[in-house]
Amino acid sequence: MSILDNDSLTAPEHDTVLSPGQLMFRRAMTHRGLCLGGLVILAIVVIALLAPVIAPHDPYEQVLSKKLIPPVWFDNPATSWNHVLGTDHLGRDYLSRLIYGARISLLIGFAAMLISGVIGTVLGVCAGYFGGRVDMVISFIITTRLSMPVVLVALAVVTIVGSSLSVVIWVIGLLIWDRFAVVMRSATQQVRGLDFVTSAQSLGSSTARILFTEVLPNISNQIIVIATLEMAHAILLEAALSFLGLGVQPPTPSWGLMISDAKGLMFFDGWLIAVPGVALFVLVLAINLVGDGLRDVTAPEDRN
């Protein structure tokens, strides 16, 4: 038998070549944090969308004769499976308000993240790509924004303009874009000197074409990760504003507002704060798990 024949017998079979998308999907399916956080977020989104069907009662209905009924796990004769999580100080079903409150938190978190993402990404990419005076001006704007405390500015603006759902969304969105800008500026500075950008410039491609087809696709993973973090930040900021009475106004069901309404009863009926507090914690934790997982999946070469 010739050497060639011997090599052909021992040569390994050709492995199936996976595309980058398939490799990323495989990594995502094996990342425990990403899967767990994604399932929790998916469950909360489904519950929020199906709130009119799932909620056992009208979240605005007040029955004073049934106020402060404890949850079913309490050893109390007043408990009832008709109100699984009990009722608040106005006799409103707590489970129904919790379910509808998920809508408010998700809406504010996503909308504020979208507004801040557009502003921060545009400023960061422009500063990182053009450099020079453009970078200097935008860096000054970023520094000015970082010097302002978010909560105090939000409180001042909401006090002057007035509290409503749309006002809260815009105020939060216009105050949390700085992280997008800082990260996008740094990422763009790293990408603009690479060969594919230089090649596009030498071929005479327009600046807009280079930014949208060469720069943005290569920094999209950073955008996604920061978006998840800022969505969690926006949800917590809304809860803080609502707790202080300057966020979403009653009787709109909001987790932060539910905590605010119960602060006077925290030593007597602590579950009124614990229930929305745990819901808020679980949602923010799930969003952070997804963000951390996306960072690992989209940049595996930087992870152990």
Side-chain angles (χ1 to χ4, degrees):
M1 182 180 291
S2 64
I3 297 176
L4 180 59
D5 293 336
N6 188 44
D7 291 341
S8 64
L9 290 174
T10 59
E13 297 181 358
H14 293 289
D15 295 332
T16 303
V17 179
L18 298 178
S19 66
Q22 291 174 324
L23 288 172
M24 187 176 297
F25 179 77
R26 176 176 293 183
R27 296 190 192 102
M29 291 297 99
T30 57
H31 195 288
R32 294 180 180 179
L34 178 59
C35 292
L36 178 60
L39 288 175
V40 172
I41 293 176
L42 179 61
I44 294 176
V45 169
V46 171
I47 290 173
L49 292 176
L50 299 178
V53 178
I54 297 176
H57 299 277
D58 184 348
Y60 301 99
E61 183 182 4
Q62 301 180 16
V63 183
L64 294 178
S65 61
K66 296 182 179 181
K67 67 179 182 179
L68 298 178
I69 295 176
V72 292
W73 59 80
F74 277 76
D75 186 13
N76 190 306
T79 59
S80 169
W81 283 99
N82 193 37
H83 301 285
V84 177
L85 295 182
T87 59
D88 64 5
H89 63 293
L90 294 177
R92 296 172 296 192
D93 183 67
Y94 226 48
L95 176 59
S96 300
R97 292 187 65 79
L98 192 72
I99 292 173
Y100 275 88
R103 285 184 160 191
I104 302 298
S105 294
L106 291 173
L107 174 61
I108 291 177
F110 181 78
M113 175 270 293
L114 194 62
I115 295 171
S116 62
V118 171
I119 296 172
T121 301
V122 170
L123 291 177
V125 170
C126 290
Y129 183 80
F130 294 107
R133 293 183 178 179
V134 175
D135 186 21
M136 182 178 64
V137 172
I138 294 177
S139 295
F140 175 77
I141 296 174
I142 295 174
T143 304
T144 303
R145 159 59 200 89
L146 290 172
S147 66
M148 299 185 297
V150 175
V151 177
L152 292 180
V153 174
L155 287 174
V157 173
V158 171
T159 302
I160 295 173
V161 178
S163 297
S164 67
L165 184 60
S166 59
V167 169
V168 171
I169 290 174
W170 278 103
V171 168
I172 295 176
L174 293 173
L175 285 175
I176 62 172
W177 53 264
D178 51 279
R179 189 177 300 179
F180 277 102
V182 171
V183 174
M184 291 305 102
R185 175 180 175 272
S186 176
T188 304
Q189 287 176 336
Q190 296 174 9
V191 170
R192 71 176 181 181
L194 298 180
D195 293 339
F196 58 87
V197 176
T198 305
S199 300
Q201 292 172 340
S202 63
L203 290 174
S205 299
S206 64
T207 301
R209 182 179 179 82
I210 293 173
L211 291 177
F212 283 102
T213 62
E214 304 294 343
V215 175
L216 282 176
N218 287 280
I219 62 175
S220 58
N221 60 323
Q222 289 95 329
I223 296 176
I224 295 172
V225 172
I226 298 302
T228 58
L229 296 176
E230 291 307 311
M231 183 174 178
H233 186 196
I235 291 173
L236 287 176
L237 187 55
E238 179 275 326
L241 291 175
S242 297
F243 179 80
L244 296 173
L246 293 173
V248 178
Q249 295 299 299
T252 304
S254 163
W255 291 348
L257 189 59
M258 291 169 69
I259 296 174
S260 177
D261 290 340
K263 63 180 181 289
L265 300 169
M266 62 183 300
F267 296 110
F268 307 99
D269 299 292
W271 55 270
L272 289 170
I273 288 181
V275 170
V278 170
L280 196 61
F281 167 77
V282 170
L283 177 58
V284 172
L285 177 61
I287 294 173
N288 281 308
L289 286 175
V290 169
D292 186 67
L294 289 174
R295 180 192 60 188
D296 295 344
V297 169
T298 57
E301 67 278 3
D302 297 330
R303 311 298 300 168
N304 294 325

